[in-house]
Short mmCIF file of all heavy atoms in Angstrom, two decimals:
data_model
loop_
_atom_site.label_atom_id
_atom_site.label_comp_id
_atom_site.label_asym_id
_atom_site.label_seq_id
_atom_site.Cartn_x
_atom_site.Cartn_y
_atom_site.Cartn_z
N LEU A 178 81.10 -130.04 6.32
CA LEU A 178 80.89 -131.47 6.09
C LEU A 178 79.60 -131.72 5.32
O LEU A 178 79.54 -132.51 4.38
CB LEU A 178 80.84 -132.23 7.42
CG LEU A 178 82.17 -132.65 8.06
CD1 LEU A 178 81.91 -133.27 9.42
CD2 LEU A 178 82.93 -133.62 7.18
N ARG A 179 78.55 -131.01 5.73
CA ARG A 179 77.24 -131.20 5.11
C ARG A 179 77.23 -130.74 3.66
O ARG A 179 76.69 -131.41 2.78
CB ARG A 179 76.18 -130.43 5.91
CG ARG A 179 74.77 -130.64 5.37
CD ARG A 179 73.73 -129.86 6.16
NE ARG A 179 72.43 -130.07 5.55
CZ ARG A 179 71.56 -129.11 5.31
NH1 ARG A 179 71.85 -127.86 5.62
NH2 ARG A 179 70.40 -129.38 4.76
N LYS A 180 77.85 -129.59 3.40
CA LYS A 180 77.89 -129.08 2.04
C LYS A 180 78.61 -130.05 1.11
O LYS A 180 78.18 -130.29 -0.02
CB LYS A 180 78.59 -127.71 2.01
CG LYS A 180 77.76 -126.59 2.63
CD LYS A 180 78.56 -125.30 2.70
CE LYS A 180 77.75 -124.19 3.38
NZ LYS A 180 78.57 -122.97 3.59
N GLY A 181 79.72 -130.61 1.60
CA GLY A 181 80.46 -131.58 0.81
C GLY A 181 79.62 -132.82 0.51
O GLY A 181 79.61 -133.34 -0.61
N ALA A 182 78.88 -133.31 1.53
CA ALA A 182 78.04 -134.50 1.36
C ALA A 182 76.91 -134.24 0.37
O ALA A 182 76.60 -135.09 -0.48
CB ALA A 182 77.47 -134.92 2.71
N LEU A 183 76.30 -133.07 0.45
CA LEU A 183 75.20 -132.73 -0.46
C LEU A 183 75.71 -132.63 -1.91
O LEU A 183 75.04 -133.10 -2.84
CB LEU A 183 74.54 -131.41 -0.05
CG LEU A 183 73.71 -131.45 1.24
CD1 LEU A 183 73.20 -130.05 1.58
CD2 LEU A 183 72.54 -132.41 1.11
N LEU A 184 76.89 -132.05 -2.07
CA LEU A 184 77.48 -131.95 -3.41
C LEU A 184 77.74 -133.36 -3.98
O LEU A 184 77.47 -133.62 -5.15
CB LEU A 184 78.78 -131.15 -3.34
CG LEU A 184 79.54 -130.99 -4.67
CD1 LEU A 184 78.68 -130.27 -5.70
CD2 LEU A 184 80.86 -130.24 -4.44
N PHE A 185 78.21 -134.24 -3.11
CA PHE A 185 78.46 -135.62 -3.51
C PHE A 185 77.22 -136.27 -4.10
O PHE A 185 77.26 -136.89 -5.16
CB PHE A 185 78.91 -136.44 -2.29
CG PHE A 185 80.34 -136.81 -2.35
CD1 PHE A 185 81.31 -135.95 -1.87
CD2 PHE A 185 80.74 -138.01 -2.91
CE1 PHE A 185 82.64 -136.29 -1.93
CE2 PHE A 185 82.08 -138.36 -2.97
CZ PHE A 185 83.03 -137.49 -2.48
N PHE A 186 76.13 -136.19 -3.37
CA PHE A 186 74.93 -136.91 -3.80
C PHE A 186 74.22 -136.21 -4.96
O PHE A 186 73.48 -136.86 -5.70
CB PHE A 186 74.00 -137.16 -2.61
CG PHE A 186 74.49 -138.30 -1.76
CD1 PHE A 186 75.16 -138.08 -0.57
CD2 PHE A 186 74.32 -139.61 -2.19
CE1 PHE A 186 75.64 -139.14 0.18
CE2 PHE A 186 74.79 -140.68 -1.45
CZ PHE A 186 75.46 -140.44 -0.25
N ALA A 187 74.48 -134.93 -5.15
CA ALA A 187 73.96 -134.25 -6.35
C ALA A 187 74.70 -134.80 -7.58
O ALA A 187 74.08 -135.13 -8.60
CB ALA A 187 74.16 -132.75 -6.23
N ILE A 188 76.03 -134.92 -7.47
CA ILE A 188 76.84 -135.49 -8.56
C ILE A 188 76.43 -136.94 -8.81
O ILE A 188 76.27 -137.38 -9.95
CB ILE A 188 78.35 -135.40 -8.23
CG1 ILE A 188 78.80 -133.94 -8.17
CG2 ILE A 188 79.18 -136.17 -9.25
CD1 ILE A 188 80.20 -133.75 -7.61
N SER A 189 76.24 -137.68 -7.72
CA SER A 189 75.87 -139.10 -7.82
C SER A 189 74.54 -139.27 -8.54
O SER A 189 74.40 -140.15 -9.40
CB SER A 189 75.80 -139.70 -6.41
OG SER A 189 75.44 -141.06 -6.47
N SER A 190 73.56 -138.45 -8.20
CA SER A 190 72.24 -138.54 -8.84
C SER A 190 72.34 -138.31 -10.35
O SER A 190 71.76 -139.05 -11.15
CB SER A 190 71.28 -137.50 -8.24
OG SER A 190 71.10 -137.74 -6.86
N PHE A 191 73.11 -137.29 -10.72
CA PHE A 191 73.29 -136.99 -12.15
C PHE A 191 73.97 -138.15 -12.87
O PHE A 191 73.56 -138.56 -13.96
CB PHE A 191 74.11 -135.71 -12.32
CG PHE A 191 74.53 -135.45 -13.75
CD1 PHE A 191 73.62 -134.98 -14.68
CD2 PHE A 191 75.83 -135.72 -14.16
CE1 PHE A 191 74.00 -134.76 -16.00
CE2 PHE A 191 76.22 -135.52 -15.48
CZ PHE A 191 75.30 -135.04 -16.40
N PHE A 192 75.03 -138.69 -12.25
CA PHE A 192 75.79 -139.75 -12.91
C PHE A 192 74.96 -141.03 -13.08
O PHE A 192 75.04 -141.71 -14.10
CB PHE A 192 77.06 -140.05 -12.11
CG PHE A 192 78.00 -140.99 -12.82
CD1 PHE A 192 78.58 -140.63 -14.03
CD2 PHE A 192 78.29 -142.23 -12.29
CE1 PHE A 192 79.43 -141.49 -14.70
CE2 PHE A 192 79.15 -143.10 -12.95
CZ PHE A 192 79.72 -142.73 -14.15
N GLU A 193 74.15 -141.37 -12.06
CA GLU A 193 73.31 -142.57 -12.17
C GLU A 193 72.25 -142.40 -13.27
O GLU A 193 71.93 -143.35 -13.99
CB GLU A 193 72.63 -142.87 -10.83
CG GLU A 193 73.58 -143.19 -9.69
CD GLU A 193 74.42 -144.43 -9.92
OE1 GLU A 193 74.18 -145.16 -10.91
OE2 GLU A 193 75.36 -144.65 -9.14
N PHE A 194 71.74 -141.18 -13.42
CA PHE A 194 70.78 -140.92 -14.51
C PHE A 194 71.47 -141.10 -15.87
O PHE A 194 70.90 -141.67 -16.80
CB PHE A 194 70.22 -139.50 -14.39
CG PHE A 194 69.23 -139.15 -15.47
CD1 PHE A 194 67.96 -139.69 -15.47
CD2 PHE A 194 69.59 -138.29 -16.49
CE1 PHE A 194 67.05 -139.38 -16.49
CE2 PHE A 194 68.70 -137.97 -17.51
CZ PHE A 194 67.42 -138.52 -17.50
N LEU A 195 72.73 -140.65 -15.95
CA LEU A 195 73.50 -140.81 -17.18
C LEU A 195 73.70 -142.30 -17.50
O LEU A 195 73.61 -142.71 -18.67
CB LEU A 195 74.87 -140.13 -17.01
CG LEU A 195 75.82 -140.19 -18.21
CD1 LEU A 195 75.25 -139.42 -19.40
CD2 LEU A 195 77.19 -139.62 -17.82
#
Side-chain angles (χ1 to χ4, degrees):
L178 276 175
R179 182 180 178 226
K180 288 174 183 174
L183 289 176
L184 179 60
F185 250 87
F186 283 101
I188 294 170
S189 180
S190 299
F191 171 76
F192 188 63
E193 297 298 351
F194 180 73
L195 180 65

